[in-house]
Amino acid sequence: DTAVSQTPKYLVTQMGNDKSIKCEQNLGHDTMYWYKQDSKKFLKIMFSYNNKELIINETVPNRFSPKSPDKAHLNLHINSLELGDSAVYFCASSPGNQARSSYEQYFGPGTRLTVT
Amino acid sequence: QKEVEQDPGPLSVPEGAIVSLNCTYSNSAFQYFMWYRQYSRKGPELLMYTYSSGNKEDGRFTAQVDKSSKYISLFIRDSQPSDSATYLCAMSARRDDKIIFGKGTRLHILP
């Protein structure tokens, strides 16, 4: 069983379109994250949710909107896609409770987004 | 100055060699130090973590933290071709804080 899964794995779309990426974790973790990894492999956090509540919201254009329907799912919707949005987007989860730190993060396989 | 600096490599070493990977950082509040390994076209996976200063060993891997110099290292002994990957250092200030990643060092172990 895949611990953290993302769909789709690849996404090719045109500028101006709206797209969504879905993430699910079956680890029973409380905290989930979205990261962006650019072409230079720099991995940067975008959002973090703990038990469906937004706790980290980095400086990200408001075209990006995360949604957490329950603590096992965290989706990312992107409006009006731009060329600069091309990157690999990773979902991750961590236990996030007091006994264990957020440093122990489990990453999904990534969604490779290409905007043309 | 970036919060976390890491030489992107690539670093190529022969099989069996000892590999040394390093990061420097500027934020003295960092207390949790991690190394993640990322194979090509995969998500990062946690390799090791250390709290505050000191050494930690796990099999062929040793993580070192020198907070006075703001310098962390990962040593890989008896390197194998399967160790070829990108190694990302990562840090956070608090248990529940966001993680700041280095840009990663690409490592190639030559058979």
Side-chain angles (χ1 to χ4, degrees):
Chain A
D1 267 353
T2 305
V4 181
S5 58
Q6 293 179 230
T7 53
K9 196 168 182 181
Y10 298 95
L11 188 52
V12 181
T13 188
Q14 292 185 326
M15 282 174 55
N17 285 348
D18 303 338
K19 290 292 178 186
S20 291
I21 307 171
K22 296 182 184 239
C23 178
E24 177 181 1
Q25 55 96 2
N26 62 8
L27 298 166
H29 288 168
D30 291 331
T31 307
M32 296 184 72
Y33 311 81
W34 277 112
Y35 286 87
K36 179 180 180 181
Q37 189 170 47
D38 61 25
S39 57
K40 295 185 178 176
K41 303 296 185 187
F42 187 44
L43 190 64
K44 191 164 183 213
I45 191 165
M46 301 172 69
F47 303 102
S48 170
Y49 271 74
N50 182 274
N51 268 320
K52 302 195 297 175
E53 183 183 343
L54 180 66
I55 55 172
I56 293 176
N57 185 351
E58 289 295 290
T59 308
V60 175
N62 57 16
R63 298 181 295 104
F64 291 79
S65 52
K67 280 191 174 56
S68 181
D70 56 61
K71 77 172 194 176
H73 295 85
L74 180 62
N75 304 324
L76 183 65
H77 188 75
I78 316 170
N79 288 328
S80 304
L81 278 153
E82 300 178 357
L83 292 175
D85 297 333
S86 295
V88 181
Y89 291 84
F90 287 102
C91 176
S93 72
S94 71
N97 57 37
Q98 290 199 350
R100 294 161 83 177
S101 170
S102 63
Y103 61 74
E104 188 179 348
Q105 296 192 11
Y106 295 80
F107 284 78
T111 295
R112 189 171 295 270
L113 172 65
T114 303
V115 182
T116 61
Chain B
Q1 182 184 11
K2 287 191 170 57
E3 273 196 294
V4 180
E5 301 266 14
Q6 187 176 8
D7 187 333
L11 178 63
S12 297
V13 299
E15 183 175 356
I18 296 175
V19 175
S20 172
L21 304 168
N22 311 294
C23 287
T24 59
Y25 63 95
S26 58
N27 187 348
S28 57
F30 286 145
Q31 295 196 79
Y32 295 87
F33 303 93
M34 292 73 75
W35 286 95
Y36 279 78
R37 178 176 62 195
Q38 185 175 18
Y39 290 113
S40 181
R41 297 195 172 251
K42 301 283 188 190
E45 55 179 337
L46 180 64
L47 202 56
M48 295 187 73
Y49 77 90
T50 313
Y51 172 70
S52 195
S53 283
N55 293 359
K56 187 170 186 176
E57 190 172 319
D58 184 0
R60 296 184 296 110
F61 298 89
T62 299
Q64 281 187 357
V65 174
D66 181 350
K67 289 187 71 179
S68 61
S69 303
K70 297 193 180 70
Y71 188 87
I72 72 170
S73 301
L74 177 71
F75 297 96
I76 308 174
R77 288 185 300 282
D78 187 24
S79 54
Q80 306 293 311
S82 59
D83 294 328
S84 298
T86 296
Y87 290 80
L88 302 112
C89 64
M91 311 174 187
S92 66
R94 297 187 312 272
R95 180 185 289 273
D96 58 351
D97 204 1
K98 65 183 179 183
I99 293 177
I100 307 298
F101 283 86
K103 288 195 172 186
T105 299
R106 279 192 299 141
L107 174 66
H108 298 295
I109 306 299
L110 307 170

